Amino acid sequence: MLFYYSLAAAFLALIIAFYHYRATILLHIHLPERMRTMFPRTGHYTPLSTFSEQINAGMTSSQFDIEANLRDSDTRSGLDDRGTQEVMEIMQQQRVNFDQARLIRQNRILAQNGIDPSGIPLDSKAVTRL
């Protein structure tokens, strides 16, 4: 009886692990296109190339107004594609708004470069005042 419980627990753990890492696992498995459509979060990202597309996707706020770029006839094509993708993923995964997702992304970048979220370097040898 204990054997069957442990077998069921191992099977359940395997299912949970597959569900959690499904996006990574499915990228390495060749699936027909019909099956890939059943898993929408497996790399079907299409870059938002213009400011108007980024506004429609919710990539604007009162603190970060890209609608002003449209009003001012900005000649740039839009926001950085990689940064836009990261912010959209944070918004979906953590269920936060645009400003919070930008803050989370910026804090990650600062941490990768050894900087505290307040802007102070984490390196003890860094000169912060004269």
Side-chain angles (χ1 to χ4, degrees):
M1 185 71 139
L2 187 58
F3 172 75
Y4 291 117
Y5 284 137
S6 62
L7 191 63
F11 183 69
L12 182 64
L14 187 66
I15 289 173
I16 291 171
F18 178 76
Y19 181 77
H20 187 270
Y21 295 108
R22 68 189 178 277
T24 307
I25 293 170
L26 292 174
L27 286 176
H28 299 293
I29 298 173
H30 179 68
L31 294 174
E33 190 61 34
R34 190 176 70 186
M35 284 194 67
R36 283 196 181 268
T37 58
M38 295 195 298
F39 302 100
R41 286 186 170 178
T42 57
H44 288 96
Y45 173 77
T46 55
L48 303 170
S49 59
T50 64
F51 284 127
S52 59
E53 290 174 352
Q54 292 164 344
I55 289 170
N56 292 337
M59 304 294 286
T60 187
S61 69
S62 60
Q63 303 295 321
F64 189 81
D65 187 19
I66 61 175
E67 292 176 358
N69 294 356
L70 287 176
R71 286 191 301 266
D72 298 339
S73 301
D74 196 333
T75 59
R76 295 177 292 174
S77 62
L79 301 175
D80 175 35
D81 287 335
R82 194 180 94 224
T84 303
Q85 180 181 4
E86 290 176 22
V87 169
M88 288 185 73
E89 287 174 357
I90 292 170
M91 288 170 65
Q92 289 175 350
Q93 292 171 357
Q94 298 187 13
R95 301 191 191 289
V96 294
N97 65 23
F98 178 64
D99 289 327
Q100 291 169 334
R102 285 186 322 124
L103 178 64
I104 291 168
R105 179 179 178 268
Q106 188 61 36
N107 285 340
R108 287 179 185 171
I109 292 171
L110 290 173
Q112 289 172 353
N113 292 311
I115 301 171
D116 188 291
S118 66
I120 297 174
L122 296 173
D123 185 8
S124 60
K125 297 179 183 178
V127 177
T128 57
R129 44 186 131 119
L130 298 173

